[in-house]
Every structure is written in structure tokens, then in C-alpha cells.
Amino acid sequence: MVKKLGGGAFGTVYLVRSRESQQLLAAKHQRVKHEKEMRHVRREVEILELLDIHDNPDIVSLAGYYESPLESVILTEYLEGGELFDRIASRDFDLTEDKCRGFMRQVMTGLSYIHQRGVIHLDLKPNNIVCVTRDEGDSRVKIIDFGFSIQVQENQKLKVFCGTSSYMAPEIHRPIAQYDSSVDMWALGVVACLLLSGRSPFAAADPKELKRRILHEPPDIEGEAWAGGSDAAKEFCRSLRQKKPAER
């Protein structure tokens, strides 16, 4: 272990170095108390194995997996650039619509590949879009964290309630509704709005109010925050924030 990178309810992530190759990797340690929790971890590993890095460079790659009766460790490539939103929040970073377009293109390419493999990410958000290097001239980003992801059969719909509330599509918030990969496109729309305007289109501190806005209000894509945005950028965000999944 080199150092701790972060942690939360899901576990703890460390920066580690291979004794043999000296390669730096990210190691996600998770405590497992029940067989159900172990199955959940193994599902994430199976999805990462399915989404092999050699096929798509926009997704974090799996480097190894270990487990014991009490703990699991998922090893992935180490992306030293940190979260995309930490970079663009820097005073020295000049964020333009053209740069936003470049970031979105990579995320969309990654999502397209994920969906082609029958996988729904289910937790696309700024924290899970990471820069490959610290070099601000290097605009490469990758999608990480497939802990909520699910592999589905063709035309199969889901009813599982999971994700991060402010990025969850309306159909996930409805307890009796079913949904498919279009929920990831909704989340992409939220990320795009944040990149382009600096704020969420459905911002609300109260969880009930947030849910109400997502279910019943149109996205806020006007006002001073959008003054410098092009019509194409606004239309892009609107097209992803449609209440009807088939229209995204």
C-alpha cells in the first residue's frame, strides 16, 4: 500500500504498487459479512471482465481480484488525474464548450460500448468520470465504479431502486415502473448540464422536493448560467432530459 485514496459506505480505496512490476494500481477493499454482499462484489468483477479495456479505452480496466471470507479487493488501473469536476473547478482551468464537447464525446462512447454489452451503469455522475493523467493538456477521461451496474438480457427491463438520487431518471423514482439503459442517458444529461452551466437542472436540498422536480418539472436550461451556451448545447441537454425514455 502506498496511500489511502478515499473511502465511504462502499469500502476504502488505496493506491498500491505491484512488487513484481512496480505498476501503480487502485485497490478497492470491501468488508463482506454475508454471501449476498459477496455476490454483489463478484457481479461487479464479472462486469469489469466483460468490459475489457482492449475493446474500449473510455472505461477503467480490471487488473485483478482477491477475496477472503471477510473481505474482497478489486484491483483496477490507477487514474492519477482525479475526478473530472475537481479539474474543471480549478481556477487555472479554462473550461470552454468545446472542451465540454470533448469530455462528453468520450463518456458517450464509453456508455455506447457498455450498453452494447448489455450493461447498465446505473450510477453515472461526476465522481465516476475520472481524468487519466494530471496533465491539463491531456483531456482523456474514463468511466469508473461499476458497483451498481447490472447486465441485462436483450429488451429486459429492471425495477431495482439504486443510484444517486439527483442523477436518477424519473422512471427509477417511480416504485412500480420499469427501466432500461436510457436511465444512463438521463444521468449523462445531468452531467452535461453541470459541465455547461455549473449547476444541476433539478437542484433541491430536500429529497422530496428533488423527486418532485425530477418527476414533474421541465429541466432548467435557461437563465444567466446558460447565457454563453450555444443553442446546440442546450438542445443536447434537453434531448437527454426527456421524461419519456424512448425520446432521449
Side-chain angles (χ1 to χ4, degrees):
M1 289 185 182
V2 179
K3 65 179 181 179
K4 180 179 177 180
L5 294 175
F10 63 87
T12 306
V13 179
Y14 296 94
L15 176 63
V16 300
R17 179 182 285 112
S18 168
R19 288 196 178 102
E20 295 180 357
S21 67
Q22 298 301 304
Q23 180 185 10
L24 291 173
L25 299 166
K28 181 164 73 170
H29 289 244
Q30 299 175 87
R31 286 285 183 181
V32 285
K33 297 180 180 180
H34 308 287
E35 180 61 27
K36 182 179 179 181
E37 293 174 330
M38 184 62 79
R39 289 198 303 268
H40 181 86
V41 174
R42 289 172 181 168
R43 184 183 69 192
E44 180 179 359
V45 174
E46 290 170 358
I47 287 174
L48 285 168
E49 289 176 337
L50 178 67
L51 305 175
D52 190 276
I53 185 62
H54 299 298
D55 289 334
N56 191 286
D58 302 305
I59 301 164
V60 69
S61 63
L62 178 70
Y65 173 64
Y66 304 89
E67 67 177 48
S68 72
L70 297 176
E71 186 180 45
S72 69
V73 182
I74 299 177
L75 289 177
T76 60
E77 66 175 316
Y78 172 51
L79 304 172
E80 65 176 17
E83 295 176 11
L84 172 61
F85 272 56
D86 287 340
R87 172 173 295 186
I88 67 174
S90 170
R91 291 182 179 180
D92 299 327
F93 189 80
D94 181 24
L95 181 63
T96 64
E97 188 173 304
D98 187 59
K99 289 180 181 178
C100 290
R101 185 183 300 112
F103 294 138
M104 286 294 95
R105 182 181 291 113
Q106 293 176 74
V107 177
M108 291 179 71
T109 302
L111 278 181
S112 175
Y113 176 81
I114 291 169
H115 294 165
Q116 287 171 12
R117 291 294 187 275
V119 173
I120 307 176
H121 189 279
L122 283 176
D123 199 25
L124 187 70
K125 57 185 179 181
N127 313 62
N128 292 334
I129 302 173
V130 176
C131 300
V132 176
T133 70
R134 294 177 183 172
D135 181 3
E136 289 192 0
D138 185 350
S139 60
R140 290 177 298 160
V141 296
K142 294 192 178 189
I143 300 172
I144 68 165
D145 197 346
F146 289 79
F148 282 129
S149 300
I150 296 177
Q151 185 180 12
V152 295
Q153 303 301 317
E154 187 175 359
N155 298 323
Q156 179 185 355
K157 290 186 178 289
L158 300 173
K159 290 186 177 181
V160 182
F161 182 86
C162 65
T164 303
S165 295
S166 54
Y167 299 90
M168 287 163 52
E171 56 269 32
I172 301 181
H173 284 282
R174 298 186 183 104
I176 60 173
Q178 294 181 319
Y179 59 87
D180 55 24
S181 61
S182 60
V183 299
D184 284 343
M185 305 313 292
W186 172 280
L188 179 67
V190 181
V191 174
C193 287
L194 283 166
L195 275 175
L196 291 162
S197 71
R199 66 182 188 184
S200 172
F202 293 103
D206 179 66
K208 291 183 178 179
E209 176 61 13
L210 174 65
K211 180 178 178 179
R212 186 194 68 78
R213 291 185 181 184
I214 291 174
L215 287 172
H216 303 296
E217 289 189 4
D220 181 11
I221 310 179
E222 298 297 340
E224 184 178 348
W226 288 89
S230 69
D231 291 339
K234 294 177 183 178
E235 181 56 31
F236 175 75
C237 290
R238 285 194 189 96
S239 68
L240 291 172
R241 303 308 305 273
Q242 297 296 316
K243 305 291 186 183
K244 295 180 180 180
E247 296 179 359
R248 291 173 202 149

